[in-house]
Each structure stands twice: as C-alpha cells, then as structure tokens.
Amino acid sequence: MSPNPTSAAETSPKAYSREWLLSDRPASRRQARLGRAYIVWRRFAENRLALVGLAIIILLLLVAAFADVLAPHDPVVGDLRNARLLPPGSEGYLLGTDDQGRDILSRLIHGSRLTLLVVVLVAIIAAPIGLIVGTVSGYVGGWADAVLMRITDIFLAFPKLVLALALVAALGPGIENAILAIAVTSWPPYARIARAETMTFRNSEFIAAVKLMGASPLRIILRHVMPLCVSSLIVRVTLDMAGIILTAAGLGFLGLGAQPPLPEWGAMIASGRRFILDQWWVAAMPGFAILVVSLGFNLLGDGLRDALDPKEAGQ
C-alpha cells in the first residue's frame, strides 16, 4: 500500500516548523518570540500594498549601499561645456542633466544615502527620547507627569517645520544641524504614545507582581514597561519617516539643509525651480524620488500597524 499523502505532508519539515511556531504552549522564550514574529509576518504578508512598500524600502537600501557601483557618472562634477541641461535620454544621461552639467540619475542614487542618513539618525535620536519621557511620565505620574507633559505640549504647540526652521537658523545651515533640528521636533508624539501605552497597564497584575518581587521603579520601566511600548513606537516612527524626508527636503529647498554640492533631493529641487517651465526634469526627477520613497514608508507603516494591532492578534 502507498503511504497516505496527507500524513506525509503533516510530518514534513515545513509543516512541523509551522506547528512548532504556532504552538499554544511554547517551551522557551525563543520559541514564543519566533512564533510571535511568524504570526506578525503572516498578517503583514496578507497586505499586498505593505509588501510593495517593503519592496520600495529594500530597493532604496540596495541603491544606497551600491551607489558607487550603480551611478554611471560623478554626482558632484559635471560637464558645463557639453552636458548642461540635457533632456532625459540624451548622450547617455538617462534622466538628463542639471544646470551644472551633472547627471541627475547619479545624484539621485547618491542622494539616497543622505535620505537614509537623515531618516535613521532622526529615528535613533528622537524615538528613545520620546520613549523615555513617555514611560517615565506615565508610570511615575504626579508632578513628574505634569512637568514632562507640559514640556511636550510646548513642542507640540509649534508646527514641526517652523520649529525646525527656527532651530536650523539658530544653529546654522548644514546636514548635521538639520538632522538635530528634525530630531528635536519629532520626539513629542512618541512621548505621547508611550505615555498612553504605559498608563493602560501600569496598574495591571503583572506589574503588581513584579513590584512584590522587589523590582525597583527603574527596573520596571526599563525591563517591563518600555518593551511593551516598542511595537506602537515602531509603527509611529515608520509612518513619520515620510514626514521626516519631506521636512529634510523642505530645509534643503530653503538652503538650510545639506549644502552644495551634496546631492540632497530637496536642494536638487531648489536648484531646478528656475528651469521648471523649460527644463522640467531638473526639479521633477528628485520630486518623483521623494514621492516614491515617502509612499513606500507610508505603505510599510500601514502594514506594520495592521500586523501589530493587538485586536487583530486576538481574532
């Protein structure tokens, strides 16, 4: 008799791995964490637009990593005599050239590094500040909560771009000061989210059990409260990355961000606005790059929000 195909499928390594990941009684923390990650990935993969956003971000990472290989020309040095303001497709310039005879495609490719630099550094600076302020405010309460939240309200009272402009104007133009200014204006929403998350479970039974075991407030915040706020914070940071890119581009457009000859996308739009009617590609190409990358981060953030939603997890 031939073996039962159903039984063979059930005992296959793939089926066993899935059963191990989806076990209701994990034997270790590692199994529980991997199972949780597998469930989140399955819910994320069901969203086709989220996969499109993930593909855009992966493509951006690859372009930034291999910019020196992918760029066909020098992004800084141009040919004023023979290649000034050439339209797309002319003489080997796929996306045309700018007013300095520089290849726009090469500048876009190298500019992806600056875009990722701004996004990553702002996230690294702003997210931990917001997480610390929010968790301390929500867990401690009292006067600490009042003081920290009033400071947060002061920052939220100003439009992000206006406050960033004021800070960069005070610090001086440059990519480093632009990153610092954007980070300073980006942490208050993260603090609000962390505080709200903390207040939902600061009086829960597991926090009370940890207190009975003798854990200090600092240990409770660092080891038990902050990890519970990370998923919501990741979603908000991912959704805010499009706004960070637009803010950095706005500062570059106004001449307060990356300075020439750095191939920053906002500065490229600013240099091309003089030729927008006749040589439209000089400003349109970096604008399209900002649009695609911002869309990718928004789609990725929407997918992560749905995948990490605890309501979805309970269904």
Side-chain angles (χ1 to χ4, degrees):
M1 295 178 64
S2 60
N4 188 348
T6 303
S7 300
E10 291 177 352
T11 57
S12 65
K14 184 176 180 180
Y16 176 78
S17 300
R18 185 183 300 110
E19 182 180 353
W20 183 80
L21 289 171
L22 299 178
S23 174
D24 294 334
R25 297 180 179 179
S28 63
R29 289 185 178 181
R30 177 174 174 269
Q31 182 179 357
R33 290 170 181 171
L34 291 176
R36 170 63 177 167
Y38 177 71
I39 293 173
V40 170
W41 168 251
R42 287 206 313 178
R43 290 203 299 266
F44 179 83
E46 293 174 356
N47 190 334
R48 299 293 180 85
L49 292 178
L51 292 177
V52 173
L54 179 62
I56 292 174
I57 302 308
I58 292 176
L59 180 61
L60 176 67
L61 292 172
L62 293 175
V63 168
F66 300 101
D68 295 330
V69 178
L70 296 175
H73 301 277
D74 192 299
V76 176
V77 180
D79 186 359
L80 277 172
R81 176 174 296 181
N82 302 314
R84 185 176 185 272
L85 296 175
L86 292 178
S90 299
E91 301 181 15
Y93 296 100
L94 186 61
L95 299 183
T97 60
D98 61 7
D99 59 320
Q100 301 296 319
R102 298 171 295 195
D103 180 38
I104 293 178
L105 176 60
S106 299
R107 289 179 63 78
L108 289 179
I109 291 174
H110 281 272
S112 63
R113 291 181 171 180
L114 290 175
T115 299
L116 284 176
L117 176 67
V118 172
V119 168
V120 171
L121 289 182
V122 169
I124 290 175
I125 296 172
I129 293 175
L131 181 61
I132 293 171
V133 171
T135 52
V136 170
S137 176
Y139 183 79
V140 175
W143 65 267
D145 181 27
V147 172
L148 291 175
M149 285 301 101
R150 297 299 77 76
I151 295 175
T152 304
D153 291 338
I154 292 173
F155 280 89
L156 290 173
F158 296 93
K160 182 182 294 186
L161 182 58
V162 174
L163 185 56
L165 285 172
L167 291 174
V168 174
L171 296 174
I175 188 68
E176 298 85 0
N177 292 336
I179 292 173
L180 181 61
I182 298 172
V184 169
T185 60
S186 298
W187 67 265
Y190 307 149
R192 283 291 188 182
I193 292 175
R195 177 179 179 270
E197 291 278 340
T198 302
M199 294 184 69
T200 58
F201 47 72
R202 69 177 179 181
N203 296 322
S204 59
E205 294 180 357
F206 78 94
I207 294 294
V210 174
K211 288 181 180 178
L212 291 175
M213 294 174 64
S216 63
L218 179 61
R219 180 180 177 85
I220 293 174
I221 292 174
L222 293 177
R223 298 294 299 274
H224 302 280
V225 176
M226 284 187 178
L228 294 173
C229 302
V230 168
S231 60
S232 299
L233 207 65
I234 289 175
V235 174
R236 180 57 191 259
V237 169
T238 307
L239 289 171
D240 281 352
M241 284 182 176
I244 293 171
I245 293 173
L246 293 176
T247 303
L251 293 176
F253 181 85
L254 296 174
L256 297 175
Q259 299 300 299
L262 291 178
E264 199 273 326
W265 293 348
M268 291 174 64
I269 296 176
S271 65
R273 72 184 186 275
R274 296 173 295 166
F275 317 102
I276 192 66
L277 296 179
D278 298 322
Q279 289 81 24
W280 53 269
W281 58 88
V282 180
M285 297 305 177
F288 182 73
I290 294 174
L291 170 65
V292 172
V293 174
S294 300
L295 178 63
F297 277 116
N298 280 331
L299 294 177
L300 178 63
D302 287 338
L304 288 176
R305 180 184 57 195
D306 296 337
L308 296 173
D309 189 357
K311 296 180 181 179
E312 294 291 336
Q315 294 179 356

